[in-house]
Amino acid sequence: MGIATDIILLVVFSFFAGLLMQRLGQPLILGYILAGLMLGPHTGLLTLTRIHDIELLAEIGVALLLFALGLEVSLRDLKPVRKIALIGTPVQMILTIAMGYGIGHLMGWNWNQSIWFGALISLSSTMVILKTLMSRGLIGTLSSKVMIGMLIIQDLAVVPLMVILPQLNDPAGGSSVLGYAVLKAALFIAAMVVLGTRLLPWFMALIAKLGSRELFLVAITAIGLGIGYVTYLVGLSFAFGAFVAGIVLNESDYGHQALSDIIPLRDLFGLLFFASIGMLLNPSFLIANLGTVVLLVVVISFGKGLIFWALARIFRYGNIVPLSVGLGLFQVGEFSFVLARVGISTGSITSEFYTIILTATIITMVLTPIVAGQTSRIYSLRRRWFPHEPLQTMNLPESGLNNHVVIAGNGRVGSRIAKILRRLGLQFVVIELDQRKVEKAQVEGISVVYGDAANQTVLEAAGIEHASLLVVTLPGIVESRNIMVTAKRMNSGLEIVARTSDAEFLPVFKELEVTEVVLPEFEASLEMTRLILVHLDIPPIRIQEQTETLRQELFAPLYSSIVRDENLARLRAAEQLFTLQWVEIGPDSFLVGRSIGESRVGTVTRATIVGAIRNGELIMGLRPSFVFDPGDLIAIVGSKSSRRNFQNLAEIRIS
């Protein structure tokens, strides 16, 4: 079967290796690299026959990932990081090339090869960083925006590097070639702007009108890969073209749908890319040159990480951002492979040099998810040792916070809670790590603290010592537990309302003395059950008995007092015992001009009137002498049939 057999083996091995990494709590990409290593030509195990074909398919994976990145990253979203991206990235690359030249000089390489080394290590991996950020749920944070902004400029810089570096063999004739490459890139971008604003919206609207989901997927894939191929034909990067296509398509009305459709295809071809990286790793060469490779990995990682950290600080980014950027972008990127192949083909670098760089690059890629995953822990330690750095806070009251509510997380749940508390005039503060949500809260005038709610310093900034209630809206048990443990240590009398995704975690919340726990899916199932039983004309008291029995069975282990739980059940059931409905009294209604007592609505309909709205004013405790007027909104409770009877009575018109 040839290539088909190789792909089958690769996918199957990647699945089991990815499953292993998932169980170990590591990113899936490490499993894909492990699968490629096992099936590669250097291990002596089951070896694929069409490795070169797999590498060609992997290039599609790179293109699809950058196409999806373009679809996901709006240029408007990158506006806050444009300075560090446009100015800081060229500075970073120059500093890294200088560092690489110095390392090459110490290693005994000639000046040309040393410059190539610096250029190769100046690039970071868009593929690895993007997958790492996605797996950790950090897309959208300020740190991710800084990293993605700098990666975009690095990817754009690959084109001039591919032109400039080979000219080092003949510096005199290189200027005209470089000018021609810059001209081609400028013309391509200008053409894409025209295409994206004129032709693509019309084309996507035409495809969408056809109503075929399958054809829509084929269309967006053809756009991404087709435009990438056009850029390849004109001498530019295939992946660069796909990325620009994604950015252009993102500005249309179909960007979000295109992204959701392309993700499965992107992930499958991305698997091939990471597996192809594993195939390139030669364990025998690594063992024979272990000292050199380890030295290069350490020096590259530490040097690049320090450069990125320093630049983030220089551009006035604080808190966790410099650390995240330094620990995230220290690796060498996939475009270094492409650049190194150019060096081999032009005779600029030797095969042994290429293999050493290749091995060091792969190791830094493998280390990235592990190192980046330690960012929060290292930041927490640094906050303990150096607690002087101010936190980013917005809209906090000048009088301070006291007896307030602290909301951990400003997502869909947290933002709705904040909206209600704000309407009621209650004092609260939100803690959020996603920069987009922080900016949204800032615009809305909500008191917000940027940071990890599990961090003691962040909780101090939110005034947790003086708070009366902590609301944890995050669904993950690990992060929720860390937040609650830290908060309880700082305020032992703090009441906590928390959210969880699984009833199995209730014993953990009981151990933490959590006041209330909400299971969103369980509550949704009870509400759906109640609505179904109401529709089936089951008496409200029986509905209440059934739903509250389920609630008590689930939550009884959480509370030490069953009596308290039963009282809570009665309170929660009070609204559900009666279904309230509003009925408008029309101008020709039979009830107009008649009082409640005169019309005998209670006796006739079996519904109970509990209130009315007249001229925008709520009236409660209606007496039998209350006379119905046109336009009154009458609130009634009762069974489905009794409410229907009242509705029919109100709709009877005077002939």
Side-chain angles (χ1 to χ4, degrees), residues 139-424:
I139 293 291
T141 63
L142 181 58
S143 301
S144 72
K145 289 183 179 182
V146 172
M147 286 189 273
I148 292 173
M150 299 186 79
L151 286 167
I152 289 172
I153 302 303
Q154 284 187 359
D155 293 341
L156 295 177
V158 171
V159 177
L161 285 177
M162 292 175 66
V163 176
I164 295 172
L165 292 177
Q167 306 309 317
L168 295 177
N169 298 331
D170 181 22
S175 57
S176 60
V177 179
L178 176 59
Y180 180 58
V182 172
L183 178 62
K184 284 194 297 184
L187 290 175
F188 169 74
I189 293 175
M192 284 302 302
V193 170
V194 175
L195 177 67
T197 56
R198 304 283 182 180
L199 184 59
L200 271 186
W202 169 82
F203 177 72
M204 294 307 300
L206 180 64
I207 297 299
K209 287 180 181 178
L210 296 177
S212 172
R213 184 76 174 267
E214 182 179 352
L215 191 59
F216 186 84
L217 173 61
V218 174
I220 60 175
T221 306
I223 290 172
L225 298 182
I227 293 175
Y229 183 64
V230 171
T231 61
Y232 169 76
L233 292 178
V234 299
L236 299 174
S237 168
F238 174 53
F240 168 66
F243 171 71
V244 174
I247 289 180
V248 171
L249 191 57
N250 180 37
E251 301 303 320
S252 72
D253 297 332
Y254 304 96
H256 294 294
Q257 183 62 45
L259 177 62
S260 65
D261 285 352
I262 203 70
I263 282 176
L265 197 61
R266 176 204 67 187
D267 291 342
L268 181 60
F269 278 94
L271 178 154
L272 297 179
F273 168 76
F274 288 105
S276 68
I277 290 178
M279 293 178 192
L280 296 173
L281 189 60
N282 187 344
S284 300
F285 180 86
L286 175 61
I287 294 173
N289 299 271
L290 185 61
T292 302
V293 172
V294 170
L295 178 62
L296 288 178
V297 168
V298 171
V299 173
I300 292 171
S301 302
F302 183 79
K304 280 189 70 176
L306 188 61
I307 289 172
F308 278 110
W309 175 85
L311 283 172
R313 296 288 297 180
I314 290 172
F315 281 86
R316 300 183 180 277
Y317 290 98
N319 299 315
I320 200 172
V321 175
L323 189 62
S324 296
V325 174
L327 295 179
L329 297 178
F330 71 88
Q331 78 290 128
V332 184
E334 59 274 355
F335 280 118
S336 297
F337 299 149
V338 179
L339 196 58
R341 286 172 184 166
V342 174
I344 286 286
S345 63
T346 58
S348 303
I349 59 177
T350 64
S351 298
E352 183 180 0
F353 175 84
Y354 172 81
T355 307
I356 289 177
I357 299 303
L358 175 71
T359 305
T361 298
I362 294 173
I363 292 175
T364 60
M365 285 183 169
V366 172
L367 289 176
T368 298
I370 301 172
V371 174
Q374 307 306 311
T375 301
S376 297
R377 293 186 180 91
I378 297 175
Y379 178 67
S380 298
L381 289 175
R382 192 173 71 84
R383 294 294 310 183
R384 291 182 197 168
W385 297 337
F386 307 100
H388 61 278
E389 184 180 30
L391 285 168
Q392 184 181 2
T393 61
M394 284 152 280
N395 302 324
L396 293 185
E398 296 181 0
S399 58
L401 297 164
N402 187 45
N403 201 32
H404 59 288
V405 179
V406 177
I407 304 174
N410 194 41
R412 288 177 294 181
V413 176
S415 61
R416 291 190 178 101
I417 295 172
K419 185 178 294 184
I420 297 298
L421 295 180
R422 190 178 186 186
R423 286 178 181 174
L424 295 174

Side-chain angles (χ1 to χ4, degrees), residues 2-34:
I3 183 65
T5 302
D6 289 349
I7 292 177
I8 291 170
L9 289 174
L10 201 55
V11 171
V12 172
F13 272 67
S14 296
F15 167 72
F16 285 106
L19 187 62
L20 174 63
M21 293 300 161
Q22 180 78 10
R23 299 289 292 178
L24 296 176
Q26 300 300 322
L28 296 181
I29 59 175
L30 297 184
Y32 303 156
I33 293 174
L34 177 61

Side-chain angles (χ1 to χ4, degrees), residues 88-104 113-124 150 154 161 296 299-309 311 329-333 336:
T89 306
V91 172
Q92 170 265 317
M93 295 187 71
I94 292 172
L95 292 176
T96 307
I97 291 173
M99 180 188 75
Y101 179 83
I103 295 172
Q113 206 156 243
S114 298
I115 292 178
W116 270 89
F117 174 71
L120 291 172
I121 67 173
S122 68
L123 303 171
S124 300
M150 299 186 79
Q154 284 187 359
L161 285 177
L296 288 178
V299 173
I300 292 171
S301 302
F302 183 79
K304 280 189 70 176
L306 188 61
I307 289 172
F308 278 110
W309 175 85
L311 283 172
L329 297 178
F330 71 88
Q331 78 290 128
V332 184
S336 297

Side-chain angles (χ1 to χ4, degrees), residues 540-555:
I541 190 64
R542 290 197 60 192
I543 298 175
Q544 183 265 335
E545 288 174 355
Q546 294 300 320
T547 56
E548 290 309 316
T549 297
L550 286 176
R551 191 189 300 278
Q552 289 184 36
E553 289 174 353
L554 180 65
F555 286 100

